[in-house]
Amino acid sequence: MSLGGGSPRLLVASRAASGTAAVLAALALVGWAMDLPLLRSGADGRVSMNPATALVLLVATAAAFMRTIATRRVAFVAALAGAGVALFGLLKLVSYMTGLNLGFDRALFRDEVDVVVASFPNRMAPSTAVAFVVLGVALVLFCTARGAGAGQVL
C-alpha cells in the first residue's frame, strides 16, 4: 500500500503537518502535567485545550503519520487508530445530545481540570467532536484501497 504514488514533497508535507499537530497536542498535555497555562492554551487568557482532546489529537496524528508508511500492517493499525478517533468524537456528540456526562473531559488530570473549570467548563467543543468523527472516518477510508479517494475528500 503506497501513499498513492504521490511526490516525495507531498510525503514530507504530510509528515510535517502531522508532526506539527502532534507537537502542539503534546505541548498541551505537558502544560497540564506541569501546570503551565501557556502550554495548555497557547496564549494567556485563551481557553485551554482539554487533555482528552489533546490525547485524541495525538492518536489522530499518529494514524496520519503511520499512513505514510507503506505496509499493510501499519495501515491496519492506522485504520484502527482512526476508528478510535471517530468513536471518541461520536461518543462525545452523543453525550452532548443526551446530556449524559461520560467523563471523558476529566479522565486525565481530573484535579487540574476541575480547578481550571471553576468558572467555565473545560470540555471538548461540539465542533471538535464533529471534526474528530470526520477525521477518524477519513483516516479509516484512507487506509483502505477502495476508500482512499473518499478519505482524501473528507
Side-chain angles (χ1 to χ4, degrees):
M1 298 182 77
S2 71
L3 191 60
S7 74
R9 281 192 229 167
L10 292 177
L11 182 62
V12 169
S14 175
R15 288 179 175 171
S18 60
T20 301
V23 166
L24 294 174
L27 284 173
L29 288 173
V30 168
W32 282 104
M34 299 182 75
D35 194 25
L36 298 170
L38 184 61
L39 291 182
R40 291 191 307 239
S41 63
D44 285 334
R46 302 283 181 163
V47 175
S48 297
M49 181 185 292
N50 183 277
T53 300
L55 185 63
V56 175
L57 184 57
L58 272 175
V59 171
T61 59
F65 185 84
M66 284 188 289
R67 182 55 189 98
T68 67
I69 300 168
T71 69
R72 287 183 190 264
R73 182 172 291 167
V74 173
F76 178 74
V77 172
L80 287 178
V85 169
L87 179 62
F88 185 89
L90 186 63
L91 287 173
K92 188 60 190 170
L93 286 174
V94 167
S95 77
Y96 272 116
M97 290 187 279
T98 63
L100 189 68
N101 184 0
L102 300 175
F104 292 138
D105 297 315
R106 296 175 54 216
L108 303 170
F109 308 108
R110 178 178 303 263
D111 295 335
E112 293 85 351
V113 171
D114 287 343
V115 169
V116 169
V117 302
S119 61
F120 186 76
N122 182 295
R123 56 184 171 205
M124 181 187 299
S127 58
T128 304
V130 169
F132 279 149
V133 170
V134 173
L135 177 61
V137 170
L139 285 167
V140 169
L141 289 173
F142 195 57
C143 291
T144 63
R146 292 183 184 201
Q152 289 175 349
V153 170
L154 284 177

